[in-house]
Amino acid sequence: MAKTNKTKVQLDIPKEKLLHMHKLMCDIRNFDNKVNQMVKRGQVPGMTHFSVGEEAANVGAIAAISEGDLITSNHRGHGQTIAMEIDLNEMMAEIMGKATGTCKGKGGSMHIADLDKGNLGANGIVGGGMGMAIGAALTQQMKKTGKIVMCCFGDGACNEGTFHETLNMASVWKLPVIFYSINNFYGISTPISEVINIDYNYQRACAYGIPGHFIEDGNDLLAVYNKFVELVDYVREGNGPVLVEALTYRWYGHSTSDPGKYRTKKEVDEWKKKDPIVKFRNYLLENKLATEEELDEINRKSMEVVEGSVKFAMESPEPTLESAFEDIFAP
Amino acid sequence: MNITKDKSPASAKSPAVDSGATKLMSVRDAIIMAMSEEMRRDENVFLMGEDVGIFGGDFGTSVGMLEEFGKERIRDTPISENAISGCAIGAAMTGLRPIVDVAFMDFIVYMMDNIVNQAAKTRYMFGGKGQVPTVFRCAAGSGVGSAAQHSQSLEAWFTHIPGIKVVAPGTPADVKGLLKTAIRDNNTVIFLEYKAQYNMRGEVPVDPEFTIPLGKADIKREGKDVTVVTYGRMLERVIQAADEVKEANGVSVEVVDLRTLMPLDKEAILTSVKKTGKVLLVNDAHKTGGFIGEVAAMIAESEAFDFLDGRILRLAGEDVPVPYNATLEAAMIPTVERIKKYILKLVDKR
Ligand SMILES: Cc1ncc(C[n+]2csc(CCOP(=O)(O)OP(=O)(O)O)c2C)c(N)n1
Ligand SMILES: [Mg+2]
């Protein structure tokens, strides 16, 4: 279970970066809360999965990689996508299926990618990004770019065959990949403890001859960030891949339709008390790294940007029928 | 069914390409030549697959390449088809141009998610961003006694999926020209080779810039009485059958070699059908749900239908798993004798 003890003060991270990480967590929270609200109002045409509750696990990891590094993501990709600083207007428009969306309204929430920024995309197939991640890493290795790939997936995805094949191949080829399992304890309704016979998936790393790392409190932004700084260095130095797992929790249902019968309100409420944003906020305030006004202002601005994205999306045109017949093949 | 054991001709006549100097070589050597030329031309091209290195590939289609290009670019992999295909796609999305030696086409079944759900749809789902330039080279078909799990021609699975190109050449020259184009193409290409035809020989242009565009059928024989549409392994038999019925029965057969199934050269098919008014479709894959069924439907829906003065006939592999016994195996796909019989059946209807 996640720890709630205090994070010790860390002075080596510039204030600007701390506040930026805070902002990104606020963006994820505000964006997904907004989408959730719109889903309830029937304003979202399709399926979405929310990252609320998992903000620190996403932002802490992605804050440790550099420009030019790549990620692959999964169906629950909003957190990583926002942490990779996608244009929120386009992302919201995509979720609403508009022509101005990231994918011109043809991909939706599960296929948002941002290739220019190194995001190789969310993925509707559980485990679908793993092969892509090792291939992207092979490109970095063969072209000697010095860049690395972060492959993000859930706890449930570790039971896909592709997990075994890609970890093994990445290991024997010493590919620069961080395999990152975000363990939110469930795959839809199935508790991970019922579908693996070990305690945690990171323990599988030894089967591939690679290091396995564990972030017990994935809601502690700095714990996640510090671990990833270490792993990014290790992988960038050419030591081959690592497998890392962080514990966190999704506050909402699996996707837009989930009656939530498999977990108790008490369990959800307990986790809400371990709110990653509140935790980081308290850390910043207690250590006088930021003032309440500063943090409130960041959140206010974030909400404004999200509101702006809704306005942008609402006012955007629907895609033309012809556009459905475009982009099938590359020229 | 008439079970006749077929002795296929050793070599189909080479196509009417005029690209300067040619050399007599096998399909296998044409493949090695095509890949090697492309790897010399573009450092982003590389080959990966099981035992492609020192072993030279299950069918010898990369013999000698390790020596020239080294282990990085002639990349042996673990026996992990899922990881191989996924890795190829990720590498392709980020700037490399992988060629995957799938070996027996049957193994592509383990790659289906990556090809069908990822490679085929990535660009579309991303709203026209990104591309997946990769070639999956597959040894298809029966004919070497490898039984049901090593003898399939699965092209129809892929023509069914928007976003994938499918190529199935039937002569050494076409293999070279089309493989090179497939490697240069910015999309995912399923490239069928026929394990029974790796030793088939023909004249092949040696020019490293010799390429054949995808999506262009080739009229391998011009004729006026009957159109036979085919591709891949069956081309050799169709040509032999066409030549024999001309000789023995004076029937003039037009042989339309599709070469590429996706994109499909509909124009070439329809033009020929309109000209002859009779059409036979031949492939070695199972009949039910096979690609020639699609061609039949396309003809039936088109204005060429009005020019037909007979039924559209199909001659395809039987709807059975490929048996091991050599006589049974051979009887499960169209033979020259049966192709001739069908051609004559169409002509008699006149
Ligand atoms: C190959 C495949 N199988 C099943 C599904 C249906 N599915 C979508 S998400 C999901 C649960 C995934 O759990 P996990 O990897 O833990 O991610 P989480 O949703 O918890 O973030 C399942 C089973 C799918 N999309 N793809
Ligand atoms: Mg999960």
Side-chain angles (χ1 to χ4, degrees):
Chain A
M1 282 291 121
K3 281 189 219 154
T4 44
N5 45 353
K6 272 190 178 177
T7 313
K8 77 176 194 305
V9 62
Q10 206 179 332
L11 300 170
D12 58 335
I13 310 172
K15 176 171 178 181
E16 209 176 284
K17 174 133 193 162
L18 291 171
L19 294 188
H20 190 60
M21 292 195 285
H22 179 70
K23 170 202 157 349
L24 291 172
M25 289 206 293
C26 291
D27 285 350
I28 296 171
R29 173 78 47 100
N30 294 324
F31 188 93
D32 267 1
N33 275 339
K34 192 75 210 174
V35 175
N36 196 12
Q37 196 185 79
M38 290 162 64
V39 166
K40 288 185 177 133
R41 290 185 191 144
Q43 291 167 322
V44 175
M47 206 202 284
T48 54
H49 304 81
F50 302 113
S51 299
V52 173
E54 304 182 7
E55 294 89 349
N58 286 307
V59 172
I62 287 169
I65 60 174
S66 307
E67 211 181 308
D69 289 338
L70 298 139
I71 71 155
T72 62
S73 157
N74 66 355
H75 57 282
R76 199 173 301 291
H78 291 188
Q80 289 125 43
T81 304
I82 295 171
M84 290 291 280
E85 303 193 44
I86 194 169
D87 180 307
L88 292 183
N89 285 353
E90 291 178 8
M91 182 167 168
M92 188 63 88
E94 186 58 36
I95 290 168
M96 292 193 72
K98 296 301 185 78
T100 54
T102 325
C103 317
K104 304 185 195 163
K106 295 197 282 193
S109 161
M110 271 189 296
H111 304 296
I112 293 174
D114 198 0
L115 299 179
D116 299 335
K117 287 197 178 134
N119 179 357
L120 296 177
N123 211 304
I125 301 296
V126 171
M130 294 177 181
M132 237 175 246
I134 65 167
L138 180 63
T139 301
Q140 309 319 310
Q141 186 185 65
M142 285 177 75
K143 288 182 174 280
K144 300 188 173 59
T145 62
K147 303 300 179 196
I148 68 164
V149 181
M150 187 156 93
C151 174
C152 306
F153 47 88
D155 46 288
C158 300
N159 282 341
E160 291 286 0
T162 189
F163 174 89
H164 161 68
E165 291 194 17
T166 54
L167 264 76
N168 181 62
M169 191 182 272
S171 172
V172 294
W173 289 354
K174 276 189 178 269
L175 296 177
V177 198
I178 297 177
F179 290 99
Y180 180 24
S181 179
I182 299 176
N183 180 351
N184 57 14
F185 295 90
Y186 296 89
I188 308 187
S189 68
T190 305
I192 188 65
S193 58
E194 286 185 14
V195 288
I196 58 174
N197 240 342
I198 49 176
D199 291 331
Y200 296 106
N201 280 313
Y202 82 91
Q203 295 166 322
R204 298 185 185 193
C206 64
Y208 306 104
I210 62 174
H213 292 264
F214 188 47
I215 303 169
E216 201 179 351
D217 188 357
N219 283 0
D220 179 345
L221 180 84
L222 290 178
V224 178
Y225 176 74
N226 288 328
K227 175 55 83 180
F228 270 85
V229 168
E230 172 197 329
L231 300 182
V232 165
D233 283 348
Y234 173 89
V235 169
R236 209 185 295 284
E237 278 162 18
N239 296 304
V242 296
L243 172 63
V244 55
E245 175 170 10
L247 299 185
T248 182
Y249 200 80
R250 67 169 152 76
W251 287 12
Y252 301 153
H254 166 72
S255 72
T256 39
S257 56
D258 177 357
K261 278 195 248 166
Y262 50 87
R263 54 186 199 182
T264 61
K265 184 170 182 304
K266 183 165 169 284
E267 179 182 304
V268 178
D269 288 343
E270 280 304 310
W271 273 97
K272 285 187 177 171
K273 285 185 206 148
K274 298 178 219 165
D275 184 333
I277 299 184
V278 170
K279 186 178 177 95
F280 189 54
R281 184 186 165 95
N282 289 343
Y283 165 85
L284 293 175
L285 295 176
E286 278 163 26
N287 294 291
K288 302 204 168 22
L289 296 165
T291 65
E292 281 203 42
E293 293 69 41
E294 277 175 312
L295 298 179
D296 288 346
E297 178 60 12
I298 286 171
N299 192 41
R300 195 192 59 74
K301 268 200 191 140
S302 165
M303 288 170 90
E304 213 175 271
V305 169
V306 169
E307 284 302 333
S309 75
V310 176
K311 187 166 184 294
F312 174 84
M314 294 272 195
E315 287 170 0
S316 289
E318 292 284 321
T320 61
L321 196 52
E322 299 85 74
S323 75
F325 299 93
E326 294 163 2
D327 304 322
I328 299 165
F329 288 106
Chain B
M1 198 197 79
N2 177 16
I3 300 185
T4 43
K5 197 175 174 191
D6 181 47
K7 271 245 152 275
S8 346
S11 141
K13 296 217 176 70
S14 64
V17 277
D18 184 20
S19 320
T22 62
K23 202 177 148 201
L24 184 69
M25 67 173 78
S26 64
V27 165
R28 176 182 297 105
D29 288 339
I31 291 166
I32 295 173
M33 187 185 223
M35 291 195 295
S36 301
E37 285 174 2
E38 292 309 299
M39 286 180 63
R40 282 174 211 129
R41 177 179 176 270
D42 181 351
E43 61 176 18
N44 292 318
V45 179
F46 72 102
L47 174 70
M48 65 192 288
E50 292 155 26
D51 307 295
V52 294
I54 190 132
F55 193 67
D58 280 2
F59 297 94
T61 49
S62 52
V63 167
M65 291 179 71
L66 176 69
E67 290 75 1
E68 178 174 354
F69 299 104
K71 280 172 74 146
E72 276 255 295
R73 295 179 72 199
I74 303 297
R75 186 170 280 268
D76 273 332
T77 66
I79 308 165
S80 299
E81 285 76 11
N82 186 308
I84 294 167
S85 51
C87 181
I89 290 160
M93 284 174 72
T94 48
L96 296 177
R97 307 183 80 87
I99 306 167
V100 175
D101 184 339
V102 176
F104 290 84
M105 188 166 199
D106 315 71
F107 308 158
I108 207 164
V109 174
Y110 265 155
M111 303 184 173
M112 286 307 267
D113 175 60
N114 282 316
I115 296 171
V116 172
N117 285 326
Q118 312 297 337
K121 298 170 173 57
T122 294
R123 183 177 176 86
Y124 188 84
M125 295 188 301
F126 295 175
K129 281 174 240 146
Q131 57 187 32
V132 191
T134 179
V135 181
F136 289 87
R137 287 184 35 238
C138 311
S142 59
V144 299
S146 50
Q149 295 172 336
H150 290 73
S151 298
Q152 296 169 92
S153 294
L154 298 172
E155 62 273 21
W157 287 11
F158 299 96
T159 54
H160 184 65
I161 305 298
I164 304 173
K165 296 189 179 180
V166 181
V167 180
T171 70
D174 285 353
V175 165
K176 177 182 171 184
L178 287 163
L179 181 53
K180 287 164 68 74
T181 311
I183 294 167
R184 294 182 194 187
D185 196 277
N186 287 328
N187 297 281
T188 296
V189 181
I190 305 295
F191 192 90
L192 278 82
E193 299 162 7
Y194 292 87
K195 56 182 84 70
Q197 290 182 328
Y198 280 118
N199 292 326
M200 181 171 86
R201 291 160 73 79
E203 290 294 333
V204 175
V206 293
D207 179 2
E209 278 311 308
F210 164 71
T211 57
I212 296 171
L214 303 189
K216 274 212 72 67
D218 187 38
I219 307 299
K220 286 287 193 297
R221 290 286 185 274
E222 287 203 27
K224 56 181 180 24
D225 298 332
V226 185
T227 296
V228 182
V229 179
T230 190
Y231 59 88
R233 182 178 179 196
M234 289 296 107
L235 174 68
E236 186 186 35
R237 296 183 184 190
V238 167
I239 288 176
Q240 191 188 334
D243 290 348
E244 289 180 14
V245 292
K246 182 167 200 171
E247 184 81 20
N249 312 83
V251 176
S252 161
V253 178
E254 180 140 300
V255 178
V256 180
D257 174 14
L258 296 178
R259 303 197 290 195
T260 307
L261 311 187
M262 183 64 226
L264 179 65
D265 190 348
K266 296 179 184 172
E267 192 62 40
I269 299 168
L270 298 180
T271 305
S272 180
V273 171
K274 283 190 217 166
K275 180 166 109 181
T276 64
K278 296 185 181 59
V279 63
L280 168 65
L281 311 168
V282 184
N283 75 9
D284 73 326
H286 303 301
K287 188 166 189 176
T288 303
F291 185 71
I292 54 172
E294 177 59 31
V295 177
M298 191 273 293
I299 296 168
E301 282 177 339
S302 76
E303 77 278 6
F305 181 77
D306 303 331
F307 292 75
L308 286 175
D309 57 6
R311 299 180 198 159
I312 301 171
L313 292 186
R314 283 184 292 167
L315 195 46
E318 299 297 330
D319 286 328
V320 298
V322 175
Y324 172 68
N325 172 279
T327 309
L328 300 186
E329 181 191 32
M332 294 304 108
I333 56 169
T335 57
V336 172
E337 284 313 312
R338 291 181 66 214
I339 297 167
K340 280 162 59 179
K341 209 170 122 186
Y342 271 62
I343 292 171
L344 294 174
K345 199 149 98 174
L346 276 172
V347 184
D348 286 347
K349 282 261 164 164
R350 198 167 3 191

